[in-house]
Each structure stands twice: as structure tokens, then as C-alpha cells.
Amino acid sequence: MGQRFVLVLKSLSVILLFLIAFEVKGNVDLSEKETIRIGLLTTQDPNFFIDTFGPTIADLRRKFRNTRFVTQELSLDSLISEIKQNQLDFVIVPSGVYAFLERTYGAKLVASRARKEAQDCNYSAGAAIIARKKDKKISSLEDLKGAKIAASSPDNFDDWQIPLGELKKINIREEELRKHTIFTNFEIPDVATLVATGHADVGFLPVCELEQLMAMGFFSPDTFKVINKKDNDGLSCVHSTDLFPGIVFAALPTAKSTDVKKLTMALLSMSSKKSNNNVWEVANKFDGVTKLYESLGIKPFVRDLSWKEFFLKNAYYFAVLLLCIFFLIVHVLRTEVLVKKKTAQLRDALAKKMELEKQSKEAQEKLLQLERGGVVSQMSAMFAHEVRQPVETLLNYAEGLRYYLATLGKEDKIVGEAIDAISIEAKRVSQIVGRVRSYVRTNKRTRQPCRISEIINSALKTFSHSPKSINVKFSLEVPSDLVVEGDPLELELVFINLFRNASDAMKEQQEKRIVVTAEKRGGDKVACIVEDFGPKLTAVELDNLNHPMKTTKKDGLGLGLGLCNHIVLAHGGHLDFEPKEKCGLRAEIVLPLVSEKEALC
């Protein structure tokens, strides 16, 4: 039945629109007629055309036959565009749009529509929120959350935007409602039918439409219930929202004052309660309309807030934000202090750990060196014990060979020199072996004054028999009056070892040169310096030179320099290594000086 009612209304509205849109030519010349242009905001509500627009335009044309009324149905954007271009004289719009046009384009109220059911035209527009009477799930506005809703159009003032304002008071947003809303756009089935048949839980109706439907017998009084019913505001129709002024007939700045006067008088003269149609009166309370649109955030009705208004409106949130920022700053500062404290503790702990690891590593290396030194000492003792007999046998063979040649009565100079060399070197080996054995037995060593020049020359002579001496040139600057107290053989071994190391360092060099110098230092010391011109050593390689059992050679054992350092220390001196500025190494042996009176050799 509700669908049939809507169909009848739409048919009547189409007929009225056709009659209004076209003028019937009479005896009056159209060229002599004055034209009044009226803009109408687009709506598909047939009740508006039947109750208000159609009768109003028809009455104006009847009263002013010499005036041509041109009406245009426009969207909001097109309406504003026409106003900007001065193409309209009057507009018929909802009260919310009028409030904006008054503020922005200087529109002035001529008359406002008043329902015959309203005592005051300021309270004639609103909505009734209906649900099925038997539906116990919907009893208050809070129950609309998640419910299926039926409404005519999202652009309608009475039955969409006004209910939105009511629901916004309880924090139900438009986005949530749209997810569950069916818009009929004034098509069949209508809003009331959708609710009655259960296709929707709730429906939004303009005020007084529910009464019209029941008066025409389409629905019984037991079909619907009104949610959030309000009264005591002079409107006889049930409603669920606040009430506002209805449709406004307004004049624009382009309208002639005479036209404004005659249309005002004509519209207000239509205000007869005897008519069944809605009438025109003068409303003066539009501030509620403006606040409604601003609360809904509908453009272009939302105005930019000043900084003061914005701050006052969001003072609570600013206070919460500032409090959060304060606690955040305190937290950040506290965290930073804790992080610095923990970082310092970790840094100290890490430094202690690294120091302990370093000490542990050094202790392990020393232990390893002692173990290797002990093994070498045992092997040296075994070697000294085992090699002594072959060396003595070699000496006996050399003497036997010399005796054999003498018995034959033959003399051979080369063989004789070879036998002498064998005997000298064998005795030298015997002396070295004996020295090793004395180290093992820890016997007290005998020292004697000896000249540094003789020790260096003897070491140089012995080194010259080695393959490492090939292509090596020596530069000597050693005074003959420098005397130290010590074991000539041990000191000679030190210099031989330094010469060998210098030669090994320069094995890739085309020119190999070793510089040996000696000088007094401080009146009671002798400094002997051996310099080579090999590649520059790294810091690690230089550090290894001062540690026994460490070597920079791929096939070395690290024993040579360790023994040299031991010998020099035993003689009351010290052995130091220093890299030269460009390349090469400088080895310096410092020994106590003996006076000339004590020199015996």
C-alpha cells in the first residue's frame, strides 16, 4: 500500500512539474513581460512539489500575469555557479542552504514554508525515526549502531541530515550509518515499506509523513513505533529530532526591490490555514540550521576555525597530548640517563674483559714460550751430549790425516789448509757444544776483557763462510779501543746472528749492505749498531723481535734473537730494535765499558 501511495504522489508531481515548466500563451505579448528567474535546489521529494512548489508557482503566475516566471532545478554546485554569474533573482532552498547563501552571497529571506501542523514556522522541519513495533531490538538511538537503515536520499535535509545531527550527539558517525543504509531515492519500495516488510530495521521519514500514510490507510497504528519521541515544541506530528525552519523562499542581490516587495506580499497572502497545502510565513531562527551543518562537517557550510576556537574546541585533546609529550620527554630523558649509565657499565666491563683476555693471552703465550723453551733446552742438552763425540772423532780424523801425510813424506798446501780449517771449525763446534752443556748445568761462566773490534771481525770472518754472505757488503766503523768484559764466543754468536738476520731481510734486494758501527755512550757504555736496508717492519713484526719463540720468518723458530737477547742481558747490557725512517732495521747492543787498564786482549 505504501508503494502505491508513493506511485500516486510521483505521478501527480510529474503532472504539476509539466504544467509549471511551460507557459500557456495568451493574449499578452511575451516580449512585454518582465522576467523573474527562480532557482530551485534539486530534490526528488514528490511531496514538496505537490504541497509547496506547484501551488506557489501557480499562484504567483495567476497574480502576476504580466510577469514571466522562469524556474530552474539545479544541484547545489550549479545553483552557486548561477548565483555567482547573476543568473538568478530568487531561490527556493532548504533552510540550511539559505543560511549559507545569506552569509556568503547576501541572500535575504522573503518567506519560509510552514507546515499546517506546526504552530511556529521556525519548528516545521524534522524527521521521525521509525521501527517495527514488534522489534524489541530497536528501542533507543543507541540501538541504531549496526542496524539496517532505510532513507530516501543522502542529500535530503529533513530525512537524512537532520537525523544525522541527532545521532552525532551520541557519537554515531555518518560513515558507520552509510555502511548499513539503503537509499530509495524516492523509488519503490519506499522507506516505510522497507521497514514494515523487514528489509530494514529502521527508517528515516520527514515529519508528518507517517501520519499521512496512516491517515490514508496504508499502515495501521500498530505497524510502527517512533524511536526517541519528542514533544512540547508546537508540532502535532510525532518526531525524533530537533526541529528547524522549513523550505525558504529567498531574494538574491540581483532581484529588483519592487519584485521582492510584490513577491513577499503575494507569498504571505497565501498563508491561509483554510488551505490543505503548506503555507508561507517568516522564520527568524536559522542559527540551529547553521550549527547542524557545521557539526556534520558538510561543505561548504563548514567554516575554518580560528586558532583560538580550534584550541578551545580541542582543549581536552591538547591537554592529553601535552601530558603525553611531557611523559614522553621524561621517559626519553630517563631512558637516556639509564642508557648512558648502562653503556658506561658495559664499557667498563668490556674494557676489563678485554684486559683480562689480553692478560690471559699473554700468560698463555708466556707459558707456551716456557714450554717451548723447556723443550728446546732439553733438545739442546741432548744435542750437545750426542754431538760432542762425533766432533771429537772429527778432530781425531783430522789429526790422523795430518800424521798420515807426514809419514808418507808428502806435503800438500791445499790439503794442509783444509785440515787446519777442519780442525779450527771442529774445535769451534766443540766450544759451542761445551757452552750449551754449561748452560744446561748452570755452571758459573768465566768472563774476560775483550775488544769489540776483534769480536766483530771474528764474527764477520765466520759469517763470510756462510752462503748468506754472498753479495753482502759490509761497512765497518768500529774503534779498536773499545773493551768490554764478557765471553768472546757468546758475543760473537750474537753478532753472527744479527748478520744472518740482516742478510735474510735483504734477500729480495739487488744491493745488500750492512753497516756496523760502535761508539762510547755516557762514559761507561759501549753501543754497537748493526743496520740493514731491508723492507720496513710492521708494528707487530717489530714487537715479535723482542719476544723469544716468535719470528717473522716462515721457516724460523724464534730462537736466534731470543738467545741473543739472553746473552746480552747476561753481560749486563740490553738489545733494542728500531725501524729506520725509510726502510731497514737498526739493532743496537749496549754493553758496559771496561777501562784500558783492565784490557788484556
Side-chain angles (χ1 to χ4, degrees):
M1 295 176 66
Q3 296 179 4
R4 194 185 313 160
F5 172 67
V6 175
L7 182 60
V8 172
L9 289 179
K10 290 189 69 178
S11 301
L12 291 174
S13 66
V14 170
I15 295 171
L16 286 173
L17 284 174
F18 179 82
L19 294 174
I20 294 169
F22 295 94
E23 297 181 0
V24 180
K25 292 184 179 181
N27 297 326
V28 182
D29 187 2
L30 292 177
S31 62
E32 297 178 358
K33 285 186 176 184
E34 177 188 8
T35 300
I36 293 179
R37 300 161 297 180
I38 301 175
L40 170 67
L41 190 65
T42 299
T43 178
Q44 294 176 326
D45 182 3
N47 293 326
F48 168 73
F49 291 101
I50 295 171
D51 296 339
T52 304
F53 182 71
T56 298
I57 298 301
D59 188 71
L60 291 176
R61 284 178 174 163
R62 185 175 63 253
K63 289 179 179 179
F64 306 104
R65 295 185 179 276
N66 292 328
T67 301
R68 181 168 174 250
F69 291 94
V70 178
T71 61
Q72 290 180 275
E73 189 177 5
L74 303 166
S75 65
L76 179 60
D77 291 337
S78 300
L79 183 72
I80 293 175
S81 176
E82 292 290 311
I83 293 173
K84 288 180 178 180
Q85 299 176 28
N86 298 322
Q87 298 298 312
L88 297 175
D89 302 311
F90 296 88
V91 291
I92 302 176
V93 293
S95 54
V97 178
Y98 164 71
F100 166 73
L101 297 178
E102 179 188 33
R103 183 178 57 189
T104 309
Y105 299 104
K108 296 300 178 183
L109 175 70
V110 173
S112 55
R113 184 181 71 167
R115 293 185 180 277
K116 52 184 175 292
E117 298 87 357
Q119 297 178 6
D120 190 340
C121 64
N122 287 303
Y123 306 101
S124 59
I129 301 175
I130 63 171
R132 290 184 301 279
K133 199 166 187 176
K134 296 181 180 180
D135 189 353
K136 297 182 179 180
K137 296 185 298 182
I138 308 295
S139 59
S140 65
L141 293 181
E142 287 78 4
D143 298 330
L144 269 64
K145 292 182 178 179
K148 292 181 180 180
I149 298 172
S152 58
S153 171
D155 299 321
N156 257 29
F157 179 65
D158 291 24
D159 51 350
W160 179 250
Q161 293 168 351
I162 292 179
L164 284 183
E166 198 70 30
L167 293 172
K168 189 174 179 62
K169 296 176 183 178
I170 57 173
N171 296 320
I172 298 180
R173 298 180 301 173
E174 180 179 2
E175 295 80 2
E176 298 177 6
L177 294 176
R178 280 182 178 268
K179 295 177 182 177
H180 310 285
T181 299
I182 303 171
F183 292 107
T184 66
N185 293 316
F186 304 101
E187 300 289 340
I188 297 174
D190 63 321
V191 172
T193 302
L194 289 173
V195 176
T197 57
H199 290 85
D201 301 318
V202 178
F204 296 163
L205 294 177
V207 291
C208 300
E209 184 173 314
L210 180 61
E211 286 78 4
Q212 292 175 6
L213 292 173
M214 290 190 293
M216 297 177 69
F218 295 135
F219 299 101
S220 68
D222 295 330
T223 305
F224 303 109
K225 60 182 175 181
V226 178
I227 307 301
N228 195 46
K229 186 184 296 185
K230 296 187 178 185
D231 51 16
N232 299 326
D233 45 19
L235 183 65
S236 60
C237 301
V238 292
H239 53 279
S240 307
T241 65
D242 293 336
L243 298 177
F244 303 87
I247 298 295
V248 172
F249 197 113
L252 296 170
T254 52
K256 298 178 181 179
S257 60
T258 55
D259 292 338
V260 175
K261 179 179 179 181
K262 69 181 182 181
L263 261 65
T264 302
M265 295 176 64
L267 292 174
L268 295 179
S269 65
M270 292 173 59
S271 303
S272 173
K273 295 293 183 180
K274 297 179 181 179
S275 172
N276 290 327
N277 298 326
N278 295 320
V279 295
W280 292 98
E281 295 181 359
V282 178
N284 60 346
K285 295 181 179 179
F286 291 93
D287 54 339
V289 178
T290 304
K291 291 178 181 178
L292 171 65
Y293 276 117
E294 288 179 352
S295 69
L296 295 177
I298 298 176
K299 294 181 179 181
F301 306 100
V302 179
R303 66 181 182 86
D304 295 332
L305 297 177
S306 66
W307 283 107
K308 183 178 180 180
E309 291 173 328
F310 179 76
F311 179 78
L312 292 176
K313 183 177 180 180
N314 300 280
Y316 172 77
Y317 301 102
F318 277 114
V320 173
L321 178 61
L322 290 175
L323 189 62
C324 292
I325 292 174
F326 172 75
F327 282 114
L328 179 62
I329 293 173
V330 172
H331 175 70
V332 169
L333 293 176
R334 180 175 176 274
T335 303
E336 187 176 353
V337 171
L338 292 176
V339 168
K340 287 183 178 179
K341 184 178 179 180
K342 292 295 183 181
T343 302
Q345 293 176 352
L346 289 173
R347 190 183 297 111
D348 294 340
L350 183 61
K352 290 179 181 179
K353 180 182 177 183
M354 293 177 65
E355 182 64 24
L356 290 174
E357 289 179 350
K358 182 180 178 182
Q359 293 176 0
S360 175
K361 185 176 180 180
E362 290 177 352
Q364 289 178 357
E365 290 182 353
K366 289 180 180 179
L367 180 61
L368 180 61
Q369 292 171 4
L370 290 174
E371 291 177 351
R372 292 179 63 189
V375 173
V376 171
S377 177
Q378 294 178 8
M379 292 180 64
S380 298
M382 292 174 60
F383 174 77
H385 176 75
E386 297 296 332
V387 83
R388 186 177 180 86
Q389 186 62 39
V391 169
E392 292 180 354
T393 302
L394 181 63
L395 287 171
N396 290 333
Y397 274 115
E399 292 301 323
L401 182 59
R402 191 191 307 276
Y403 178 75
Y404 176 72
L405 291 176
T407 56
L408 292 179
K410 296 181 179 180
E411 291 186 6
D412 191 322
K413 184 177 179 179
I414 296 176
V415 175
E417 292 178 354
I419 293 173
D420 292 339
I422 292 173
S423 298
I424 293 172
E425 295 300 325
K427 290 178 181 179
R428 179 179 176 82
V429 171
S430 180
Q431 291 176 348
I432 294 173
V433 170
R435 191 72 65 212
V436 171
R437 288 172 61 84
S438 68
Y439 281 133
V440 175
R441 294 194 303 267
T442 64
N443 292 340
K444 186 177 180 180
R445 296 161 178 79
T446 59
R447 303 286 171 80
Q448 62 183 32
C450 49
R451 298 183 185 277
I452 285 295
S453 59
E454 293 179 358
I455 294 173
I456 292 176
N457 287 330
S458 178
L460 184 58
K461 181 178 179 181
T462 302
F463 177 72
S464 64
H465 296 300
S466 170
K468 295 181 182 293
S469 65
I470 299 174
N471 297 326
V472 179
K473 297 180 181 179
F474 280 84
S475 298
L476 301 179
E477 295 184 10
V478 182
S480 60
D481 58 344
L482 300 178
V483 180
V484 297
E485 184 179 35
D487 188 317
L489 178 60
E490 290 181 355
L491 294 177
E492 182 181 339
L493 289 174
V494 172
F495 283 102
I496 291 174
N497 200 299
L498 293 178
F499 294 162
R500 288 174 178 172
N501 286 345
S503 175
D504 288 339
M506 298 184 294
K507 63 182 179 180
E508 303 295 335
Q509 307 289 111
Q510 292 184 351
E511 182 180 357
K512 303 176 182 180
R513 186 161 61 94
I514 299 176
V515 177
V516 184
T517 58
E519 61 184 11
K520 287 184 180 181
R521 182 168 296 174
D524 60 346
K525 301 289 182 182
V526 174
C528 303
I529 302 162
V530 178
E531 296 179 285
D532 63 56
F533 296 87
K536 194 170 185 178
L537 297 181
T538 64
V540 175
E541 292 173 335
L542 184 65
D543 184 65
N544 290 339
L545 295 178
N546 294 313
H547 292 79
M549 303 299 175
K550 288 188 177 182
T551 179
T552 59
K553 302 176 184 178
K554 293 182 179 180
D555 55 350
L557 297 176
L559 298 175
L561 291 180
L563 292 174
C564 290
N565 191 52
H566 179 76
I567 292 172
V568 173
L569 289 174
H571 281 74
H574 57 86
L575 174 61
D576 298 316
F577 298 94
E578 180 183 357
K580 296 170 66 177
E581 184 175 354
K582 293 183 179 181
C583 62
L585 183 69
R586 174 189 176 99
E588 183 177 86
I589 304 171
V590 179
L591 297 169
L593 181 66
V594 177
S595 63
E596 288 287 344
K597 295 180 179 180
E598 297 175 325
L600 300 176
C601 59

